[in-house]
Amino acid sequence: MQKGIQQAEHEATKRNAAVNGHTVTGVDGKAGISVASDTHWPHHGGGGKKYVSLSGLTYMIGSLSGMIVVSHVCSQDCRVCLYFEKKRKKATLKTGKTVRPHRCPQNFSKTKSPKTMETASTVIMVKGIYDSAAGVFVEYICIDNDTSMMSHLRLKREGGNLPDYMPLYFPLCISDLNHRIRSIGHVVFDLARSKMSISRCTMHVAYRYKKVVSYFIYGMIDSKCSASTFLANKLAPLEHIFGNHAYCTENCLRKKALQNNEEYTSKTLPLDKKMHRDIYLDLLECTAEYFKPERVAQILQENMPTDIVLKGTQPCEAVNNADYHMALKCAHYSSTSSLGDRSNTM
């Protein structure tokens, strides 16, 4: 953690620049910083659907400075300890002999799923930043669209895993926009793949809806709108593909043409609401969960710098991709301290 003190202080300096007029929150004499966190597993199994890796590497990067504040390696294996256990089982060791002194990388139980490494690492890093000598705490943290992670980043008396001496309402969790849009796309495409007796929604309609949702969410956040404005216009993507542009943002070309009394020819014709009302209702029902006030609050919060949301976890994913060249998936580095040393070179 000592290595990340300078990076954390630099991130706090960036926040003190009053981005978008936002004033840094002070708690216990510490300045609030905004970070993005993401984990990658050096080895996946089952086509990426099963987490069978023995290690997980988590980076926490400043959203405004772009610097790595802290990283953490979870490992379920140690080559030296494993060799010692094999020798002891074969009874080839002398009585009372212990394993030689070494830097043991094993810090995660083998009985736990590797998927839980992400939540464990994030809790350790958030606590470490608060306890460090940097004089900062994590005010905003951008993570994947994961409700389990959000439940862990609470105080213990609130049902989470953070110590009770930390600030009550921090860190404020923000969902990554790419993961949120991807989650909406999964629901819509599942609807399109269903039988005709369930829904007449086609893959073409699902693709159009996901594309318009992406434009709508990014446009609303980029325009620095409030959560109430977002909720008031939540029907914009659905109404747009059915030819109603009353809820659209100012970036909608069709709405601009109507306001300026100009002609505009769309590449795709709008759907007829009377003829396809069942499709309209199906899309409205399956995506309603993502436009509830509590879900909108995960991507749009008051006084929050928009740069934190728009960047998301992309800096972490870029570091993860670069890290693959230092620790290839086909090789296993977590059984020694090599994986931690390789991550420190980033």
Side-chain angles (χ1 to χ4, degrees), residues 14 48 77 86 89 99 143 170 175 187 204 215 238 248 256 301:
K14 287 283 187 178
D77 194 14
K86 288 182 178 179
K89 289 180 179 179
V99 64
I143 56 178
F170 299 104
S175 293
V187 174
H204 178 66
Y215 289 148
L238 188 57
C248 293
K256 287 183 179 179
Q301 298 182 13

Side-chain angles (χ1 to χ4, degrees), residues 66-137:
M67 302 176 69
I68 299 176
V69 178
V70 64
S71 63
H72 187 266
V73 178
C74 283
S75 177
Q76 294 179 320
D77 194 14
C78 176
R79 189 173 300 171
V80 177
C81 294
L82 184 63
Y83 178 79
F84 178 80
E85 290 296 329
K86 288 182 178 179
K87 286 288 187 180
R88 189 174 64 178
K89 289 180 179 179
K90 292 180 180 179
T92 57
L93 293 176
K94 295 181 180 179
T95 305
K97 188 174 179 60
T98 59
V99 64
R100 65 177 176 82
H102 66 288
R103 288 195 300 168
C104 183
Q106 185 176 352
N107 58 1
F108 200 79
S109 174
K110 292 185 178 181
T111 59
K112 296 182 180 179
S113 170
K115 184 68 175 71
T116 60
M117 291 178 180
E118 184 169 16
T119 55
S121 298
T122 306
V123 169
I124 290 173
M125 290 189 294
V126 170
K127 178 181 177 297
I129 290 175
Y130 184 84
D131 294 337
S132 69
V136 299
F137 74 99

Side-chain angles (χ1 to χ4, degrees), residues 288-300:
E289 175 68 25
Y290 296 95
F291 293 98
K292 290 182 177 180
E294 57 271 18
R295 300 299 295 270
V296 173
Q298 295 172 0
I299 61 174
L300 191 63

Side-chain angles (χ1 to χ4, degrees), residues 163-176:
D164 291 332
Y165 61 80
M166 292 186 63
L168 177 60
Y169 300 108
F170 299 104
L172 299 175
C173 298
I174 306 166
S175 293
D176 180 53

Side-chain angles (χ1 to χ4, degrees), residues 35 37 60 118-127 138 140-143 146-156 158-163 166-174:
V35 297
S37 178
M60 191 169 283
E118 184 169 16
T119 55
S121 298
T122 306
V123 169
I124 290 173
M125 290 189 294
V126 170
K127 178 181 177 297
V138 177
Y140 293 106
I141 179 170
C142 186
I143 56 178
D146 189 357
T147 55
S148 175
M149 173 74 76
M150 296 178 184
S151 64
H152 283 278
L153 291 176
R154 298 175 184 171
L155 301 186
K156 289 185 178 180
E158 299 291 331
N161 289 335
L162 293 176
M166 292 186 63
L168 177 60
Y169 300 108
F170 299 104
L172 299 175
C173 298
I174 306 166

Side-chain angles (χ1 to χ4, degrees), residues 88-277:
R88 189 174 64 178
K89 289 180 179 179
K90 292 180 180 179
T92 57
L93 293 176
K94 295 181 180 179
T95 305
K97 188 174 179 60
T98 59
V99 64
R100 65 177 176 82
H102 66 288
R103 288 195 300 168
C104 183
Q106 185 176 352
N107 58 1
F108 200 79
S109 174
K110 292 185 178 181
T111 59
K112 296 182 180 179
S113 170
K115 184 68 175 71
T116 60
M117 291 178 180
E118 184 169 16
T119 55
S121 298
T122 306
V123 169
I124 290 173
M125 290 189 294
V126 170
K127 178 181 177 297
I129 290 175
Y130 184 84
D131 294 337
S132 69
V136 299
F137 74 99
V138 177
E139 182 181 2
Y140 293 106
I141 179 170
C142 186
I143 56 178
D144 296 344
N145 190 34
D146 189 357
T147 55
S148 175
M149 173 74 76
M150 296 178 184
S151 64
H152 283 278
L153 291 176
R154 298 175 184 171
L155 301 186
K156 289 185 178 180
R157 65 173 179 264
E158 299 291 331
N161 289 335
L162 293 176
D164 291 332
Y165 61 80
M166 292 186 63
L168 177 60
Y169 300 108
F170 299 104
L172 299 175
C173 298
I174 306 166
S175 293
D176 180 53
L177 289 185
N178 290 330
H179 285 80
R180 174 60 59 86
I181 295 170
R182 203 176 303 162
S183 299
I184 297 175
H186 287 326
V187 174
V188 176
F189 284 125
D190 287 342
L191 180 67
R193 295 188 189 100
S194 61
K195 297 180 180 180
M196 290 291 291
S197 59
I198 299 176
S199 176
R200 291 195 305 119
C201 181
T202 62
M203 294 296 292
H204 178 66
V205 174
Y207 173 77
R208 286 180 62 184
Y209 181 79
K210 181 186 175 183
K211 185 177 180 180
V212 176
V213 164
S214 176
Y215 289 148
F216 169 72
I217 293 179
Y218 275 100
M220 294 295 282
I221 293 178
D222 194 30
S223 61
K224 304 178 181 62
C225 74
S226 62
S228 59
T229 304
F230 188 99
L231 291 171
N233 296 276
K234 64 182 180 180
L235 293 178
L238 188 57
E239 293 287 345
H240 178 89
I241 63 177
F242 281 88
N244 182 14
H245 305 278
Y247 299 95
C248 293
T249 62
E250 298 300 326
N251 295 328
C252 177
L253 299 179
R254 178 59 177 169
K255 186 174 183 178
K256 287 183 179 179
L258 291 174
Q259 292 176 346
N260 300 328
N261 295 325
E262 299 175 353
E263 293 186 2
Y264 176 78
T265 304
S266 177
K267 294 182 180 179
T268 54
L269 295 176
L271 299 177
D272 189 285
K273 188 178 290 187
K274 293 182 180 180
M275 185 179 301
H276 304 286
R277 183 165 181 80

